[in-house]
Amino acid sequence: MGYDAELGAAVERAQHGDEEAFATAYRLVQPGLIGYVRGLVGDDAEDVAADAWLEIARDLGRFRGDGAGFRGWTATIARHRALDHLRRLKRRPRTSLLEQDVLELPGGQDTAAAALEALSTEHALQLIGSLPREQAEAVLLRVVVGLDGQAAAQVLGKRPGAVRTAAHRGLKGLAERLARAGEGAGTSGAGRTPRDET
C-alpha cells in the first residue's frame, strides 16, 4: 500500500472513531507539516502545529477526500494557524524564517530537492527561509509537505502555474547557493600540501 493510500485508509477509519487510525494519520503527516510550519513561524512551530492538530481533530468528520487531499487540507489549516500567529506577533515582532507576506507556490523536484535531503533539517529550513517568501513557501509545500502543484496552489490560494514557477525558482536558487557553498568549502586551503605547512 502506498503512502497516500495508507493515509487515506487511516483517515477514513479515524473518521469512524478509530483512535489508532488517527495516530497513524498523525504519524504520516506530522513530519512534513511541522517542517512547513517551522518555515513559516520558526521556533514557535510546535505550538502552532499543536493548534492546527486540535482543529484537524475537531473538523475531521467534515473532511472529504483521499490521502493526498488530507495532506493538502492539513497544510491549509496549519497555514491559517501560522498566519494568525504571525499577526498576533506583529504587536511584539520576532524573527521568523520567512517574511510576513502571503506566498505563491511553484513546483518541480529535481537535483535541488536531492541536495536538500542531504542537509540537516535546520540548515535546509534556514536556506529555504533565505528565499523570497513566495518561493520559500512553495518549496516548503512541494518538497517538505510533498504536495503536488495543484494542491499547493489550493493551500496558498494561487494559480498552479504561479506556484510551480515559484517552486522552480526557489529550488533553482537553492541549488545555486549550495553550489556556491560547495565551491567555497572546496577552495579553502586549496593548493596547500602538508609539506607547505612545515
Side-chain angles (χ1 to χ4, degrees):
M1 180 182 293
Y3 171 82
D4 280 336
E6 180 184 1
L7 179 57
V11 169
E12 186 174 340
R13 290 191 320 271
Q15 288 178 314
H16 292 97
D18 185 335
E19 291 180 18
E20 189 174 312
F22 185 82
T24 298
Y26 175 87
R27 179 182 49 80
L28 291 170
V29 172
Q30 178 66 357
L33 195 68
I34 195 71
Y36 173 56
V37 174
R38 185 168 285 121
L40 296 174
V41 302
D43 292 339
D44 295 334
E46 295 286 342
D47 292 338
V48 171
D51 288 344
W53 278 105
L54 288 173
E55 185 173 337
I56 291 163
R58 183 192 72 207
D59 295 343
L60 185 61
R62 290 191 278 198
F63 171 74
R64 299 289 175 261
D66 59 7
F70 184 73
R71 285 187 293 121
W73 183 67
T74 58
T76 299
I77 291 171
R79 182 173 192 263
H80 290 160
R81 295 299 63 78
L83 294 176
D84 288 347
H85 178 76
L86 292 173
R87 279 190 280 277
R88 283 192 302 273
L89 288 180
K90 275 189 170 183
R91 292 181 212 113
R92 49 186 174 97
R94 290 177 36 189
T95 317
S96 71
L97 293 177
L98 301 176
E99 304 163 6
Q100 300 200 358
D101 313 351
V102 176
L103 318 171
E104 289 178 33
L105 288 187
Q109 296 173 317
D110 53 18
T111 54
L116 283 176
E117 288 179 25
L119 298 170
S120 73
T121 300
E122 183 177 334
H123 186 227
L125 289 174
Q126 287 174 349
L127 282 173
I128 293 169
S130 70
L131 294 171
R133 179 160 177 129
E134 69 278 355
Q135 293 176 17
E137 194 166 5
V139 169
L140 287 168
L141 286 169
R142 295 296 309 269
V143 177
V144 178
V145 178
L147 298 182
D148 64 21
Q150 181 70 36
Q154 288 177 333
V155 170
L156 297 176
K158 303 283 183 182
R159 292 181 334 276
V163 171
R164 284 191 293 276
T165 299
H168 175 74
R169 288 179 180 160
L171 289 170
K172 184 177 176 186
L174 289 173
E176 291 168 359
R177 290 174 188 187
L178 290 170
R180 283 195 303 271
E183 290 170 8
T187 58
S188 61
R192 291 177 50 184
T193 64
R195 210 178 292 148
D196 293 336
E197 295 176 3
T198 57

